[in-house]
Amino acid sequence: MPKNTFFRLDETRREEISNSAMHLFVNNLYEDITMKMVLDSLSMHPGTFYRYFEDKDDLYCLLIRNVTQKRAAYFNNSNEDSLYSYFLTVLFGNVNGMVTEPLNELEIKLTKTFSYIPEDILLKVYVNVLKGESFPMIKDILRRMRVDGYLRPNVDDDLISFMFESMQLNLILFFREFDIKDSKLQHKISKYFSEFMGHGLLEDHKYSEMVSDLKGERK
């Protein structure tokens, strides 16, 4: 992750660096991005860059951490009803115009690059960023859903949190292993897996009720 010197910059400068870097990673393949391109994009001298970051991977990890934390903040500031709706509508998309994605367009495009970065960088991001950021968020979602009576009584929070935490990584590895590049097919597989996991977590009557309600909203 970035060095302490980066976090001592004022917020405006940190945002400028992050936005410029996001455009760079969104508009180019990861392996094609040279250090010269990074420095030109950030309008930064090499000595300044290495005062803030270890390398290009370090910069990319920062960006992924930023969007992960932004989503976590959205979840944490949501009330139980909207949080529950967010968790369930990933199966069907937005419902009745409800905002379920706190990221802006550029940040969403950045998350999509996760599917195409080299495998060693994918694993680095997962180990150094996602494991630490998403696990507590998922556990909190489960806790709040349990309070509202949506979860099966025998759900183990640590196990399920770990499974959901690693779900995106495993799906990407699956797509790569079987050379699945079609985005519509990827979406269908992700949706199937989400439905499978959701049905296993929720009480049967709650799952049936949720599916019926959300399909009705979509119509």
Side-chain angles (χ1 to χ4, degrees):
M1 293 304 297
K3 301 174 183 178
N4 289 335
T5 48
F6 173 79
F7 296 107
R8 287 200 288 267
L9 293 171
D10 63 73
E11 184 178 354
T12 300
R13 180 54 179 150
R14 294 199 307 270
E15 288 183 354
E16 288 176 353
I17 292 172
S18 296
N19 284 333
S20 296
M22 277 193 286
H23 282 287
L24 179 66
F25 286 110
V26 164
N27 295 326
N28 300 275
L29 290 175
Y30 192 93
E31 53 267 41
D32 291 343
I33 298 175
T34 64
M35 276 309 303
K36 183 180 185 307
M37 292 170 65
V38 172
L39 296 173
D40 289 346
S41 176
L42 302 184
S43 299
M44 194 176 288
H45 187 273
T48 304
F49 178 86
Y50 289 112
R51 194 161 67 239
Y52 300 146
F53 306 99
E54 294 290 344
D55 50 27
K56 179 180 75 173
D57 302 346
D58 200 24
L59 176 60
Y60 185 78
C61 283
L62 167 71
L63 303 179
I64 296 299
R65 192 185 75 158
N66 286 347
V67 298
T68 303
Q69 289 183 337
K70 188 172 181 178
R71 279 177 168 158
Y74 175 83
F75 292 144
N76 291 335
N77 292 326
S78 299
N79 61 40
E80 283 76 7
D81 288 341
S82 63
L83 180 67
Y84 174 62
S85 297
Y86 185 95
F87 184 76
L88 299 180
T89 52
V90 295
L91 309 182
F92 300 99
N94 284 10
V95 175
N96 201 24
M98 184 184 72
V99 176
T100 60
E101 177 56 83
L103 306 184
N104 61 39
E105 183 178 353
L106 180 60
E107 291 166 334
I108 292 172
K109 288 181 179 178
L110 176 73
T111 64
K112 293 181 179 179
T113 67
F114 202 54
S115 299
Y116 305 104
I117 58 176
E119 190 167 305
D120 61 322
I121 308 303
L122 175 68
L123 294 174
K124 180 183 291 188
V125 173
Y126 174 72
V127 171
N128 295 331
V129 179
L130 298 182
K131 284 188 69 175
E133 298 292 341
S134 59
F135 191 86
M137 177 184 70
I138 299 168
K139 283 196 72 171
D140 189 54
I141 291 175
L142 293 174
R143 179 187 62 79
R144 291 162 70 176
M145 290 175 68
R146 176 176 288 103
V147 169
D148 288 342
Y150 289 107
L151 294 187
R152 295 178 183 272
N154 59 344
V155 169
D156 183 280
D157 289 6
D158 286 332
L159 173 62
I160 298 304
S161 296
F162 182 85
M163 292 176 68
F164 267 100
E165 181 186 56
S166 59
M167 179 174 70
Q168 184 180 17
L169 172 67
N170 286 315
L171 283 171
I172 292 173
L173 293 176
F174 175 79
F175 298 151
R176 293 184 180 197
E177 178 71 21
F178 293 93
D179 197 30
I180 299 173
K181 297 179 180 178
D182 183 83
S183 59
K184 291 182 179 180
L185 179 55
Q186 289 182 358
H187 177 74
K188 287 181 180 180
I189 294 172
S190 300
K191 180 182 174 184
Y192 166 79
F193 191 77
S194 296
E195 289 176 338
F196 177 81
M197 290 288 288
H199 199 180
L201 285 175
L202 302 178
E203 293 280 10
D204 288 338
H205 69 285
K206 288 291 186 181
Y207 184 82
S208 298
E209 175 186 316
M210 174 273 294
V211 171
S212 176
D213 289 348
L214 293 182
K215 285 185 175 179
E217 290 284 359
R218 285 297 292 262
K219 291 178 181 179

